[in-house]
Amino acid sequence: MRRNLVVGNWKMKINQQSAQKLVDGLIDGLPSEDADIAVCPPYLYIPEVSQRLANTTIGLGAQNVATHVEGAYTGEIAAVMLKDFNCKYAIVGHSERRANYADTSQTVAQRFQQAIDADIIPVLAIGELLEEREDGTTFDVVEKQLNAVIDFSGIENFKKAVIAYEPVWAIGTGLTASAEQAQEVHLFIRQLLAEKNQQIAENIQILYGGSVKPQNAVALFAMPDIDGALVGGDSLSADSFLKIYSSFQK
Ligand code: 13P
């Protein structure tokens, strides 16, 4: 049985004070659910959030990770540094990094591998643009993004990975993929993995991301291949994020 998981991606939408308040709200309000939960603060706040989350069941993640293990890479943060602060997860290949920071299939695959090598679970984000959905190439795009990482890192490493399907047109727009639209792509991703390794396909957590809110989480989570969510905007309120976390059917 796959465990469910919700991950909050705080992006660059928080400051030190609001991060402290948010973490306290999450710790105080955390219901006892049989599912996993994690937050991804900006790098700078990771040490403090890590301290606050010690001895809680809330996991910690980073929003990105460097392509190399160490060296002359000004401004980058290596996977081993994240490990020093107990990061369990690192998002790799977020569409905002692909679009604005020149992340390519190659660099995303390198980041994925760096996380794996440091014993951090990569949360591999993939998803199509609006024009790609309209052109009917969603499956091609998702397959290409996924295969780039499988080819580089090998299917076996997906034993310790999470996939987040985030249609770019649904991110921060209030437009959510319908539960059926998301399920269709999640099933496609699982089938692609099953062609390489049946067991990995069955066990991997595939999260949906893109305007997930308490109002749509129940329907999304009811889908057989949706194992949770990567949440942006609504992870910035403890109340909304915990409501999403409580939206799995018992
Ligand atoms: P929103 O939930 O704000 O649409 O963001 C989704 C996202 O990009 C999570 O990584």
Side-chain angles (χ1 to χ4, degrees):
M1 245 331 250
R2 295 188 294 271
R3 282 184 68 74
N4 291 309
L5 168 67
V6 296
V7 179
N9 176 7
W10 295 353
K11 307 193 180 183
M12 202 178 72
K13 293 186 169 184
I14 202 151
N15 59 35
Q16 188 177 24
Q17 217 182 357
S18 53
Q20 288 168 349
K21 208 170 138 221
L22 178 52
V23 172
D24 289 346
L26 292 175
I27 293 171
D28 291 345
L30 191 69
S32 61
E33 299 285 347
D34 189 20
D36 295 329
I37 184 167
V39 295
C40 301
Y43 284 140
L44 206 52
Y45 302 138
I46 282 179
E48 187 174 346
V49 173
S50 176
Q51 261 184 4
R52 285 185 178 237
L53 293 183
N55 305 317
T56 75
T57 54
I58 303 173
L60 180 62
Q63 298 175 16
N64 192 23
V65 63
T67 51
H68 290 78
V69 68
E70 59 149 16
Y73 300 102
T74 302
E76 292 299 290
I77 301 286
V80 288
M81 299 173 184
L82 298 175
K83 194 67 188 172
D84 280 342
F85 291 93
N86 296 319
C87 281
K88 182 174 178 189
Y89 302 97
I91 300 170
V92 300
H94 193 282
S95 61
E96 286 152 17
R97 298 215 58 92
R98 292 182 195 254
N100 304 323
Y101 297 94
D103 240 342
T104 62
S105 289
Q106 172 70 18
T107 57
V108 171
Q110 287 175 289
R111 297 183 200 287
F112 181 97
Q113 188 62 46
Q114 287 298 318
I116 293 281
D117 290 347
D119 196 24
I120 288 173
I121 298 169
V123 178
L124 171 63
I126 55 178
E128 82 286 2
L129 305 171
L130 181 59
E131 48 277 30
E132 293 165 337
R133 175 154 286 263
E134 287 174 347
D135 287 351
T137 56
T138 296
F139 291 148
D140 300 333
V141 171
V142 164
E143 181 168 4
K144 224 167 135 187
Q145 290 175 338
L146 184 59
N147 278 340
V149 181
I150 297 175
D151 291 346
F152 183 87
S153 188
I155 188 71
E156 286 296 315
N157 283 332
F158 282 74
K159 261 186 201 150
K160 296 161 283 179
V162 171
I163 293 175
Y165 168 58
E166 298 205 302
V168 179
W169 49 272
I171 295 177
T173 57
L175 290 173
T176 327
S178 69
E180 292 73 19
Q181 277 176 321
Q183 163 60 22
E184 191 184 29
V185 181
H186 281 230
L187 176 61
F188 174 74
I189 292 167
R190 210 177 292 285
Q191 285 170 340
L192 281 179
L193 294 167
E195 286 169 18
K196 321 240 181 217
N197 186 312
Q198 185 71 36
Q199 205 184 353
I200 287 173
E202 275 168 25
N203 291 337
I204 197 164
Q205 292 165 316
I206 307 180
L207 312 182
Y208 168 77
S211 300
V212 176
K213 307 186 176 313
Q215 297 87 319
N216 56 29
V218 173
L220 286 162
F221 295 171
M223 291 291 151
D225 290 290
I226 300 181
D227 306 311
L230 180 55
V231 186
D234 273 49
S235 72
L236 297 169
S237 142
D239 184 50
S240 292
F241 192 49
L242 292 177
K243 277 193 184 130
I244 293 168
Y245 177 61
S246 297
S247 297
F248 295 105
Q249 302 293 308
K250 296 290 178 307

